[in-house]
Amino acid sequence: MAEKTPLPKLYPLDASGEYDDVEAELKRQFITIFEDVLRTQEREINLFGVPHLGSLSLIERHVIRDGLALLRSTDPSMRYLFKSWRARNPKRGMHFLRTYLQLIFPNNWVVSQLWQDKAKTYPLGLTPKSGVEVDLEKTHYLTSRVRVLIDTEADDAQGVLSTIPALRSIVPAKFVLEIFLLKQFATEFGLSNGLALGGFANFSGAAKPASDWATGFDLSGAGLLGALAVFEGEATPEPLLSLPTFPDDFSNAAWVKLRATISQNAIAAPDGSLTADKLVEDASATNTHLMYQPHAGSNEWSELSIFAKAGERTGFTIKSSNFVNSTWGAFFNLSNQIITPLQASPDYSGGTAAIKSVGNGWFKCSIRVLKGAFNNANHFEIDINGTGNSDIYSGNGTSGLYFWRAQAKYTPA
């Protein structure tokens, strides 16, 4: 691991000639004052571009600025981890995630990439490799879901939550993390279990011993089962991240296409894999060209996002729609990154939208809006835009845009 760089000495000045005793004393006084008063500031300035070689306070300033949580790290581990973080290897994968966890939570974590049972609907048949006793590749396929189990003390719960943004950002975009805390918390934090998508929840009531709990997934070999605690009482789930069915395969029937088709695996996705699809309009005149995935819900916040890249068309719309009398969303112009929100509608309120470049012409576009109680339909919809911000236009049968990795989070209002 990288060590703090040794302090340089003023050797040229110290070894320089002296005309008389007065000049010698002036030289000694200057060196003493510089070391006592200016050395710290000089090191901060000279090492600003390589903070892992500087003081811990310099590293901490950069850590805070980059949003990387470094809990309970010793001096050498903090330097090593921050240097690795800054390198941002585009081919980084599970190794950096495991290294990060080991430095922050030494020997108190388990990471498992999940396998999906071919006989079940994705993502309802997910399991770690240790939970499959038969020939794995015959009955399951490897997914981009990664389960992270962290065993932590009760008073560290809030600190663990602060590491979640860093955990998500240190893995490639194709990986979706499911993060679980494995211990009883003294305050409001508890382990949400039995959900395929996992997450944190607020619990009230007393804790029960782990022996009274039947887990919804296999933890064999984790070495942490004895640390588990279960809470009984009312719980309000807060999933960290949900995904619509087939989030990367828009050709699947789970995504309903209206006056549009999908060209599967058309170009490279943001993570470099050939998994991005193209939504292609048909030749229908004066109409919409879209795909959507049904979702049942009301009185809930919808957070919808998708990665998009311009094709022949440069604009599209993300909508949350009840498919009866109300829709809310935003037009996204990928050529100039301008967002134009839709007008307010009776069943939706409080809408916001955002766009962020992720490189190579790709943008992550998202909306957040509150669905009312008019009905129980709250569908995730993607429309191609024709000229300007209009999603009603005459298609030509060949034009479209590229999309990858749809994401959705639904939270009770």
Side-chain angles (χ1 to χ4, degrees):
M1 295 186 179
E3 298 292 341
K4 182 178 178 181
T5 183
L7 290 177
K9 302 295 183 180
L10 297 180
Y11 288 126
L13 177 60
D14 189 39
S16 63
E18 302 159 357
Y19 180 76
D20 53 24
D21 291 342
V22 174
E23 185 174 351
E25 183 60 26
L26 284 174
K27 184 171 67 175
R28 284 191 293 272
Q29 290 299 326
F30 178 85
I31 292 175
T32 300
I33 293 172
F34 182 88
E35 296 293 346
D36 293 345
V37 179
L38 299 177
R39 175 61 77 187
T40 300
Q41 294 92 322
E42 178 271 331
R43 288 290 82 197
E44 297 288 290
I45 294 172
N46 267 325
L47 297 174
F48 194 84
V50 283
H52 62 281
L53 298 179
S55 65
L56 288 179
S57 62
L58 179 62
I59 297 176
E60 289 168 356
R61 287 169 56 192
H62 286 262
V63 164
I64 293 171
R65 188 183 68 177
D66 286 11
L68 178 63
L70 295 175
L71 298 178
R72 299 181 300 181
S73 290
T74 61
D75 186 339
S77 64
M78 180 179 285
R79 296 181 189 281
Y80 173 81
L81 190 58
F82 188 69
K83 181 180 179 181
S84 301
W85 163 266
R86 272 296 179 88
R88 288 299 185 96
N89 182 353
K91 296 182 179 180
R92 68 192 186 278
M94 302 295 289
H95 177 70
F96 188 30
L97 174 62
R98 292 189 173 97
T99 301
Y100 179 93
L101 290 169
Q102 180 61 20
L103 291 173
I104 305 303
F105 310 107
N107 302 318
N108 287 313
W109 56 271
V110 175
V111 171
S112 302
Q113 191 166 356
L114 302 182
W115 292 74
Q116 168 67 27
D117 190 335
K118 295 178 181 178
K120 297 180 181 180
T121 301
Y122 181 84
L124 301 181
L126 295 171
T127 183
K129 190 173 182 179
S130 61
V132 181
E133 297 179 356
V134 295
D135 190 346
L136 196 66
E137 295 186 0
K138 290 184 178 180
T139 58
H140 294 70
Y141 61 86
L142 189 63
T143 73
S144 59
R145 302 283 184 109
V146 177
R147 180 170 293 158
V148 179
L149 310 178
I150 301 173
D151 182 20
T152 184
E153 298 297 331
D155 56 359
D156 287 337
Q158 185 61 56
V160 175
L161 295 179
S162 71
T163 69
I164 292 174
L167 289 173
R168 288 177 175 169
S169 63
I170 63 180
V171 296
K174 68 178 181 180
F175 288 123
V176 179
L177 296 184
E178 299 178 2
I179 304 169
F180 293 85
L181 304 188
L182 303 182
K183 190 156 276 190
Q184 172 185 344
F185 300 132
T187 55
E188 74 239 26
F189 300 106
L191 174 64
S192 172
N193 50 67
L195 299 177
L197 296 177
F200 293 104
N202 294 330
F203 283 79
S204 61
K208 295 169 60 180
S211 58
D212 294 341
W213 177 46
T215 65
F217 47 82
D218 184 0
L219 292 175
S220 60
L224 299 172
L225 193 56
L228 290 171
V230 185
F231 290 75
E232 58 181 358
E234 183 179 357
T236 305
E238 297 177 358
L240 296 177
L241 177 64
S242 304
L243 286 178
T245 307
F246 298 97
D248 297 327
D249 182 8
F250 302 113
S251 66
N252 190 275
W255 290 95
V256 181
K257 273 73 70 176
L258 299 179
R259 296 167 294 279
T261 58
I262 288 292
S263 176
Q264 193 175 19
N265 300 331
I267 62 170
D271 67 347
S273 63
L274 189 62
T275 54
D277 295 345
K278 184 178 183 182
L279 181 63
V280 182
E281 64 198 34
D282 71 3
S284 297
T286 318
N287 214 323
T288 55
H289 309 267
L290 60 96
M291 64 179 177
Y292 75 93
Q293 186 167 137
H295 168 75
S298 62
N299 291 319
E300 64 182 7
W301 284 98
S302 304
E303 298 180 42
L304 311 176
S305 68
I306 197 167
F307 291 85
K309 184 174 183 177
E312 297 82 8
R313 302 295 182 187
T314 59
F316 76 102
T317 310
I318 302 178
K319 297 179 182 178
S320 192
S321 175
N322 69 13
F323 264 46
V324 176
N325 71 341
S326 290
T327 293
W328 192 88
F331 298 110
F332 294 89
N333 188 326
L334 302 182
S335 62
N336 57 19
Q337 294 84 65
I338 291 178
I339 301 173
T340 305
L342 297 179
Q343 294 182 350
S345 56
D347 201 26
Y348 290 91
S349 61
T352 58
I355 185 171
K356 178 182 179 181
S357 173
V358 295
N360 197 29
W362 283 98
F363 296 88
K364 185 175 184 179
C365 304
S366 60
I367 67 169
R368 183 177 188 269
V369 66
L370 178 61
K371 165 72 167 71
F374 178 82
N375 63 6
N376 200 40
N378 189 20
H379 302 331
F380 186 172
E381 181 179 332
I382 302 293
D383 294 59
I384 303 174
N385 292 355
T387 304
N389 289 332
S390 176
D391 56 2
I392 299 178
Y393 66 98
S394 298
N396 58 27
T398 59
S399 296
L401 299 94
Y402 302 97
F403 294 102
W404 182 73
R405 183 57 56 82
Q407 298 176 341
K409 177 182 176 181
Y410 300 99
T411 307

